[in-house]
Amino acid sequence: MVDKAEKMKARLPRGFVDRHADDIRAVDAMTAKIREVYELYGFDPVEQPMIEYTDALGKFLPDQDRPNEGVFSFQDDDEQWLSLRYDLTAPLARFVAENFERLPKPYRSYRSGWVFRNEKPGPGRFRQFMQFDADIVGTPGVAADAEMAMMMADTLEAVGIKRGDYVIRVNNRKVLDGVLEAIGVTEATQKLAVLRAIDKLDKFGTEGVSALLGKGRMDESGDYTKGAGLDDDSVNIILKAVAFEEMTEPQIGYDSVEFPNPYYSPPADWDERLRTAHPKLISVNKQNRRREPHPYWDYLGLLAQLYELNSTTTSALEELETIADIVIAAGYDDDRIRIDPSVVRGLEYYTGPVYEAELTFDVTNEDGQVVRFGSVAGGGRYDGLVSRFRGEPVPATGFSIGVSRLVTALKNLGKLDATEVLAPVVVLVMDKDTESLGRYQKMVADLRAAGIRSEMYLGGAGMKAQMKYADRRGAPCVVIQGGDERAAGEVQIKDLIAGAKAAEGITDNTEWRESRPAQFSVPESGLVEAVRRVLGAQKADRDGAE
């Protein structure tokens, strides 16, 4: 016996959760549906280890002078820093670089697994969680980004989220990069602070983001977050770029003479007065195509009017234009995929199109408040990650699904695939001699051979405790064979569901009791068929109740 003073306390580390059978099965069922969509799109599975060299995770996370900042890190016996992976993208970049010559390009792959964040845990914020990623490495054109957005839509519908309850929002990080260039934000730390502030637009609104872009923000608990340090004019320029619907749409028309929409009125058709008044707009819609009215062109036309156009923002608009053309042609523009400048994604390694899957239905939280569920997946183009290892351009794009968050969303919708897994039939152990144990194990083997989940009781308790065990397991029935039954070549089968219903004293249940006896005997050779009948009757009851 361990002395009470020496007994270790069982405790779960902060920011981690234990997973139980129902949760694991639900995740397995959901990820199987996700996998089917990825396979349908031609993606192949791949897997990397949970631990990577710290420098392989990139210069953004962790910081080189603080190897344990943001990630769980440790030193190997050769004093090399190793880290638990922060996401699934950086390990993929390392894998592709290491196997570059052997892989087909473009390389389509998917992977799922646990990732770890060495950050302060909070409600719904864990230090270990599961992601399910899909990526295309080696294709420079944004057709790959358009396909990613479409695959995100198909994936959400495959797991049970109906059209209208989600939207895939698409933007281009070059839009914001161009705006930051225009206002002189070039220092890496300040730029990252700006990106992380904008990424919280849905959570804090324009007022909260404005504070984070400026001096800083204090939350309701009194915790203070230092801001990016921008002046008021710069803050307003950025907010117009990422919250333009709220801040500018009521004031600026799409088709006014002062601000011609270059997608409806191609620059090649402009008179000299318009060319002189808006010389930078001439660089937009280089194909000079006259397009039919569509919200995509309304958005892009307004963005072109609002931004300080330079080579970066013009390139961003051109890429969004191509994505819009592809999405329209493929028929995914029916409010499944939208262009939304507020999507920036917080990580600095994104270099082009970015996208986010948002659930739009309302849910009630623990406090009884009706809220929007929000984002369950996101990603974008990261042309620099593989290139760090290769020293040459290697374009890549991909997205990641937050598995736990998506499972929670499906629970709220009542769409979680709770495929029923029956508890095992329990064969009770009435006699513990070797010969009897062999007979009980043969019964279990026969049931399993027939595809019936079953187990022999392996504890040391008597009949009463064994019945309590079967109840706690949720067993549909138990098999009993004592000395009398063995002598007669029979087994007793006790239907625990029927027994429970009989015990409830159901009104006028005489006929039911006669047709569904709670306990009966059958020849030992008829065990499998008898158990099948019990399970079939129980299933019929469940189906009838539905």
Side-chain angles (χ1 to χ4, degrees):
M1 291 286 292
V2 177
D3 187 270
K4 282 190 175 182
E6 298 177 359
K7 186 174 68 174
M8 183 177 294
K9 182 179 180 181
R11 55 201 178 107
L12 182 70
R14 289 189 314 124
F16 296 86
V17 294
D18 293 317
R19 301 171 71 222
H20 300 281
D22 288 346
D23 294 327
I24 294 169
R25 290 184 180 120
V27 168
D28 286 348
M30 185 190 75
T31 53
K33 293 177 180 177
I34 295 172
R35 190 176 294 109
E36 285 180 8
V37 177
Y38 292 177
E39 291 276 357
L40 191 63
Y41 271 71
F43 288 72
D44 292 320
V46 71
E47 190 174 275
Q48 286 81 44
M50 292 185 185
I51 295 174
E52 294 278 347
Y53 282 115
T54 298
D55 57 8
L57 296 179
K59 66 177 182 178
F60 313 113
L61 287 166
D63 296 333
Q64 293 302 305
D65 57 341
R66 294 179 299 169
N68 213 38
E69 180 72 14
V71 296
F72 291 100
S73 300
F74 57 94
Q75 278 188 299
D76 202 354
D77 53 9
D78 60 358
E79 298 187 353
Q80 291 279 323
W81 275 100
L82 299 170
S83 296
L84 287 173
R85 62 191 179 195
Y86 184 89
D87 63 11
L88 300 179
T89 308
L92 175 72
R94 187 270 310 158
F95 169 81
V96 170
E98 200 167 1
N99 299 276
F100 196 78
E101 303 305 331
R102 297 199 299 270
L103 296 174
K105 266 79 68 180
Y107 176 56
R108 293 170 174 256
S109 71
Y110 68 84
R111 71 221 65 86
S112 63
W114 296 104
V115 298
F116 304 85
R117 305 281 170 94
N118 187 6
E119 299 172 347
K120 182 180 178 181
R125 186 180 181 88
F126 301 107
R127 288 173 163 174
Q128 175 184 336
F129 52 94
M130 185 180 291
Q131 293 182 333
F132 203 149
D133 287 19
D135 296 78
I136 303 176
V137 180
T139 179
V142 294
D145 301 281
E147 182 163 293
M148 281 293 177
M150 293 186 286
M151 189 165 77
M152 287 176 79
D154 288 346
T155 300
L156 292 182
E157 292 186 19
V159 299
I161 298 173
K162 71 176 187 296
R163 206 165 296 181
D165 277 348
Y166 73 89
V167 63
I168 311 301
R169 303 188 184 278
V170 178
N171 190 26
N172 195 313
R173 277 286 285 273
K174 292 180 184 177
V175 171
L176 185 61
D177 289 342
V179 172
L180 295 180
E181 284 178 25
I183 63 176
V185 176
T186 56
E187 198 271 323
T189 303
Q190 186 180 35
K191 184 176 180 181
L192 188 57
V194 169
L195 295 173
R196 287 177 172 167
I198 297 169
D199 207 30
K200 294 179 172 60
L201 184 64
D202 285 344
K203 186 175 181 181
F204 297 147
T206 53
E207 185 176 343
V209 171
S210 178
L212 289 173
L213 290 172
K215 295 179 180 179
R217 179 182 180 274
M218 183 175 292
D219 63 21
E220 296 174 355
S221 68
D223 286 345
Y224 182 78
T225 303
K226 184 180 178 182
L230 301 182
D231 59 42
D232 290 345
D233 288 342
S234 297
V235 169
N236 286 332
I237 289 171
I238 291 176
L239 286 179
K240 282 184 178 181
V242 298
F244 76 104
E245 285 184 310
E246 178 182 340
M247 300 188 67
T248 62
E249 191 170 339
Q251 288 79 38
I252 299 179
Y254 293 125
D255 300 310
S256 65
V257 175
E258 290 76 20
F259 294 95
N261 186 325
Y263 298 98
Y264 294 148
S265 176
D269 296 346
W270 292 0
D271 58 30
E272 191 58 34
R273 179 181 62 82
L274 284 176
R275 286 177 172 275
T276 302
H278 306 289
K280 292 184 177 180
L281 275 179
I282 298 174
S283 62
V284 179
N285 188 8
K286 293 178 180 177
Q287 300 176 15
N288 282 298
R289 289 176 54 193
R290 185 181 299 279
R291 290 174 165 84
E292 295 296 320
H294 193 286
Y296 286 173
W297 313 126
D298 290 339
Y299 276 108
L300 292 182
L302 181 57
L303 293 177
Q305 296 161 18
L306 288 176
Y307 292 154
E308 178 64 34
L309 291 176
N310 51 35
S311 60
T312 305
T313 49
T314 301
S315 172
L317 291 172
E318 188 175 351
E319 290 177 357
L320 287 172
E321 178 184 356
T322 301
I323 291 173
D325 279 331
I326 293 171
V327 169
I328 291 171
Y332 282 73
D333 60 317
D334 52 355
D335 227 20
R336 281 182 279 178
I337 298 175
R338 297 180 196 166
I339 294 172
D340 184 346
S342 68
V343 178
V344 297
R345 308 295 300 162
L347 291 175
E348 194 177 352
Y349 60 57
Y350 290 118
T351 58
V354 286
Y355 22 87
E356 200 161 78
E358 179 185 339
L359 305 187
T360 56
F361 59 87
D362 293 336
V363 297
T364 303
N365 64 18
E366 307 87 45
D367 301 323
Q369 301 168 319
V370 177
V371 295
R372 281 285 178 93
F373 199 91
S375 174
V376 294
R381 179 162 287 274
Y382 53 95
D383 287 350
L385 280 188
V386 182
S387 303
R388 291 189 307 113
F389 300 97
R390 300 275 311 164
E392 61 180 321
V394 182
T397 188
F399 71 85
S400 177
I401 293 174
V403 172
S404 299
R405 190 162 176 79
L406 185 53
V407 164
T408 301
L410 294 175
K411 282 183 180 177
N412 278 279
L413 277 176
K415 297 282 189 179
L416 193 61
D417 187 350
T419 302
E420 188 173 19
V421 177
L422 286 179
V425 173
V426 177
V427 175
L428 304 189
V429 174
M430 310 304 292
D431 301 304
K432 295 185 172 66
D433 59 278
T434 302
E435 182 183 351
S436 297
L437 291 176
R439 290 171 69 91
Y440 298 141
Q441 195 64 67
K442 174 66 165 56
M443 296 176 196
V444 172
D446 288 344
L447 290 169
R448 290 171 179 164
I452 298 171
R453 194 174 180 221
S454 55
E455 62 173 270
M456 181 178 80
Y457 177 75
L458 295 176
M463 172 77 168
K464 186 176 180 180
Q466 290 187 48
M467 289 299 299
K468 180 181 276 189
Y469 169 81
D471 280 333
R472 183 167 289 180
R473 287 285 278 144
C477 63
V478 296
V479 178
I480 305 167
Q481 188 188 62
D484 292 343
E485 289 85 10
R486 182 187 303 181
E490 297 179 341
V491 293
Q492 289 274 332
I493 296 177
K494 184 174 180 63
D495 183 337
L496 298 184
I497 306 301
K501 287 187 175 181
E504 291 173 359
I506 300 172
T507 305
D508 193 23
N509 63 358
T510 304
E511 182 180 345
W512 182 85
R513 286 191 185 196
E514 291 175 354
S515 62
R516 285 282 300 279
Q519 186 165 336
F520 57 94
S521 296
V522 296
E524 191 171 337
S525 60
L527 168 65
V528 170
E529 186 55 38
V531 170
R532 275 188 175 141
R533 287 199 307 270
V534 170
L535 298 181
Q538 291 177 0
K539 184 177 186 304
D541 285 347
R542 290 193 301 272
D543 293 344
E546 294 173 0

